[in-house]
Amino acid sequence: MTDLETRTAGRAGALRRAAPALLGYAAVRALGLLALALWSAARDKSAYTLLTARWDSLWYTRVADLGYGYEVRLPNGDVHSNLAFFPLLPWLERFGAAISPLSYAAAGFVVSLLASLAAAWGIFAVAEHLYGRRAGVCAVLLWAVLPVGIVQSMAYSESLFTALAAWSLYAVLTGRWVTAGALAALAGLTRPVGLAVAAAVWAAAVVAFVRSRSDAVPDGAHGPKRAPGDGARRVLGMLLAPLGAAGYVLWVGHRTGQGPLGYLDVQAGWRNGFDGGVAFARFVAGRFTGFPSALAGVGLVVGVALLVWLYVVCVRQRQPLALLVYAGIVTVLALCASSYFGSKPRLLMPAFPLLLPLAVALARLRTSRSALIVGGVAVASAVYGAFWLNGSGPP
């Protein structure tokens, strides 16, 4: 077989292995969309509008349509600028609208649907590589049934970012450093937390460099053979990884005239910033001032404790450093940012390595039992997603 035939056969085999995960993921998302359509119809609302023309979706389509420079000045003096939104999703929306009859909003919806499938495949690839095919399927299904999983089908950037992050991490795990760096750069053009992917690439590359140096044996002997040019590819991957996020942040600083930290001023206009979790702690404490709000406070405390426990389990299971760095940074930024508190669950959604311990445990159960668990949670997630978007919705 030629190299091209070998690569084609390899990709076809990878798709066949991932097929159960992708089909299961599509079924869960279809259930969520059906529940949303029925709930919205009962309330005389448009499910399509909720998915494509509310909240952040509107800001992305404005960037695609008008470019950067649009802002809203609020009565309290806050300035909401569209410079806060990273450009990759609007670029894809503009491209989709240019090559098809789709509107910018419709193109964003299609991008998110395709990106969510790519993200599911990437999560499967990472989990299968580490724990086997069954755990890979379970990891994808757990990501699909997250309570805020409906966001994966919205014209938001979470699915696109998760896809790029998952495949970048998979490239790190399989030693494809240039691919990992290029995907990390694209992730950095998608969301501010793209720096977490770059940090993961750097951490893994540094560890690989240290190990390669330790492989050398005294007296002229050598350790295990390495592929020619591996060190150069690793360095190139490291150089590529931060370019997306750093490039956009520097461009914003130049455009606003505020210098390298100008993007922080843009975020401050949205009252977004990093305060170490002080604002979130005050928000949680405020829930305990009465009943039944105290129940919400208990739920928040339990949720944060669960996240910490899952991360500890990830460390104990000796997940690769790249996954630990990535999941740790995503989680810390989500919990310790002084942003809208209602957005924290969706900000945590890309931290899929936290689901791997649960996926491993689920994979050990009998198929009938694991299917019953996933099915029940999928129904609950679909109902909650429909209720959520028809209520307060994601900020």
Side-chain angles (χ1 to χ4, degrees):
M1 295 179 67
T2 65
D3 290 341
L4 178 60
E5 290 173 332
T6 301
R7 288 195 295 269
T8 302
R11 290 167 185 163
L15 180 58
R16 282 195 298 271
R17 291 196 305 275
L22 298 179
L23 291 174
Y25 177 80
V28 172
R29 289 274 41 85
L31 177 63
L33 292 174
L34 176 61
L36 177 64
L38 295 175
W39 195 298
S40 301
R43 294 176 59 89
D44 198 26
K45 290 185 177 181
S46 168
Y48 179 73
T49 299
L50 293 173
L51 293 169
T52 64
R54 294 286 302 277
W55 307 291
D56 289 3
S57 299
L58 288 174
W59 286 91
Y60 283 119
T61 55
R62 287 194 187 107
V63 174
D65 184 20
L66 304 174
Y68 285 106
Y70 177 84
E71 62 183 27
V72 175
R73 294 184 177 271
L74 304 183
N76 65 357
D78 290 345
V79 178
H80 288 184
S81 168
N82 65 359
L83 289 169
F85 295 87
F86 276 50
L88 186 56
L89 178 57
W91 287 348
L92 293 175
E93 289 178 341
R94 183 177 296 178
F95 176 75
I99 64 171
S100 73
L102 296 175
S103 65
Y104 295 121
F109 181 59
V110 172
V111 168
S112 291
L113 290 181
L114 296 177
S116 68
L117 287 171
W121 193 357
I123 292 170
F124 171 83
V126 170
E128 183 200 33
H129 180 79
L130 295 175
Y131 304 112
R133 185 184 186 190
R134 189 176 175 87
V137 173
C138 291
V140 170
L141 294 177
L142 288 174
W143 190 67
V145 302
L146 289 174
V148 294
I150 190 64
V151 176
Q152 297 163 16
S153 299
M154 296 179 68
Y156 272 42
S157 61
E158 273 78 8
S159 290
L160 179 60
F161 174 77
T162 304
L164 294 168
W167 283 108
S168 178
L169 292 171
Y170 178 73
V172 168
L173 296 179
T174 54
R176 297 174 173 87
W177 295 104
V178 177
T179 300
L183 291 173
L186 291 174
L189 285 171
T190 308
R191 298 185 64 80
V193 76
L195 288 174
V197 190
V201 173
W202 273 68
V206 169
V207 169
F209 173 77
V210 172
R211 287 176 177 171
S212 68
R213 293 295 297 266
S214 66
D215 284 341
V217 181
D219 300 327
H222 299 281
K225 292 183 179 180
R226 297 185 300 274
D230 186 62
R233 287 191 291 270
R234 190 184 307 132
V235 171
L236 180 56
M238 293 176 69
L239 293 176
L240 288 172
L243 290 183
Y248 181 69
V249 167
L250 292 175
W251 178 80
V252 170
H254 174 73
R255 182 183 175 97
T256 60
Q258 300 298 319
L261 300 181
Y263 182 76
L264 298 181
D265 294 330
V266 171
Q267 286 285 9
W270 286 81
R271 299 197 175 229
N272 288 336
F274 185 86
D275 64 358
V278 174
F280 184 48
R282 289 175 178 169
F283 175 79
V284 174
R287 303 303 96 191
F288 290 95
T289 57
F291 187 86
S293 63
L295 296 177
V298 172
L300 290 170
V301 171
V302 171
V304 172
L306 176 62
L307 290 172
V308 174
W309 175 75
L310 285 174
Y311 190 80
V312 171
V313 175
C314 291
V315 174
R316 288 180 175 175
Q317 289 185 345
R318 296 185 178 182
Q319 278 190 15
L321 180 63
L323 270 64
L324 294 175
V325 169
Y326 167 75
I329 293 177
V330 171
T331 303
V332 168
L333 289 179
L335 294 181
C336 297
S338 57
S339 57
Y340 296 105
F341 302 112
S343 66
K344 291 189 182 297
R346 71 175 177 86
L347 296 180
L348 286 164
M349 193 166 58
F352 69 89
L354 296 180
L355 298 174
L356 296 184
L358 299 177
V360 171
L362 189 62
R364 291 172 180 162
L365 301 177
R366 289 186 300 179
T367 301
S368 57
R369 182 171 297 181
S370 59
L372 183 62
I373 293 173
V374 171
V377 178
V379 171
S381 175
V383 172
Y384 177 76
F387 164 78
W388 188 43
L389 287 198
N390 277 278
S392 62

